[in-house]
Amino acid sequence: ARAQAIARKADYENRKSRNETNRANAELALEVANLALRQYEDQEGGTFQIQFQNVAMNIERNEAWLEIADRDLRAVKFLKELGYKTKADLQEMRLTAMQAQNAVRRSIAQQKALLNYQYKRTKNELEGNVESAERLLKLVDGNN
């Protein structure tokens, strides 16, 4: 009887320790999930804001490149008419202008994808992680 009592007490202590560990893990998972969501949505420097600012900067940089390429193309056309530039020079500048135009379009498409799809998907995933962690904590609490 004494051995059974010792075994039951050891089993109880083990279960108690496992429950405390499970609760601590569930609390940590919830805290990390909430932190990830706040970090993503922080308006003053969260992950999404940084991504958005990077894309906006790419758009501005590519638009500036396009303006320069268009100006250079007009200059090369003028110089070709005067005989100072060749047809190959003109074609090269046209290619540069087309590359700049494509870069602007790509960066605008990236911004659209970030706003319309990636933001929503990531936010839903992070909110789902929070909800899952909350359910896990309730489950752990219910088993104690």
Side-chain angles (χ1 to χ4, degrees):
R2 177 179 267 174
Q4 286 180 344
I6 292 171
R8 278 193 292 262
K9 182 173 180 165
D11 184 48
Y12 170 78
E13 292 298 325
N14 284 339
R15 269 188 279 126
K16 183 178 170 184
S17 178
R18 276 194 309 269
N19 289 343
E20 289 171 357
T21 300
N22 288 342
R23 179 157 180 46
N25 286 338
E27 288 173 345
L28 178 61
L30 179 57
E31 185 178 335
V32 168
N34 276 315
L35 181 61
L37 180 60
R38 283 194 312 269
Q39 178 185 14
Y40 186 70
E41 293 214 298
D42 185 340
Q43 296 295 316
E44 296 177 9
T47 308
F48 173 75
Q49 283 299 318
I50 292 168
Q51 291 172 332
F52 184 79
Q53 290 170 4
N54 286 339
V55 169
M57 188 174 14
N58 282 339
I59 291 172
E60 288 180 29
R61 185 183 69 236
N62 290 330
E63 286 174 342
W65 178 31
L66 179 58
E67 286 180 32
I68 292 167
D70 284 343
R71 186 197 64 219
D72 290 349
L73 179 59
R74 287 191 304 273
V76 169
K77 282 180 183 178
F78 179 72
L79 291 173
K80 183 185 177 301
E81 289 173 7
L82 295 176
Y84 293 110
K85 291 288 182 177
T86 65
K87 183 177 180 180
D89 294 329
L90 182 59
Q91 295 293 37
E92 185 177 335
M93 279 313 307
R94 282 186 178 139
L95 178 61
T96 299
M98 286 173 43
Q99 289 170 333
Q101 180 77 37
N102 285 336
V104 169
R105 287 182 185 140
R106 273 193 316 275
S107 52
I108 290 171
Q110 286 174 339
Q111 185 180 51
K112 179 183 176 185
L114 179 66
L115 290 172
N116 295 335
Y117 305 107
Q118 187 176 346
Y119 171 77
K120 292 175 184 176
R121 186 188 81 227
T122 302
K123 183 178 177 191
N124 286 340
E125 288 173 357
L126 293 171
E127 288 173 341
N129 291 345
V130 169
E131 291 171 11
S132 293
E134 287 172 343
R135 283 191 303 273
L136 178 62
L137 185 57
K138 286 179 185 176
L139 179 67
V140 168
D141 284 343
N143 288 336
N144 287 337

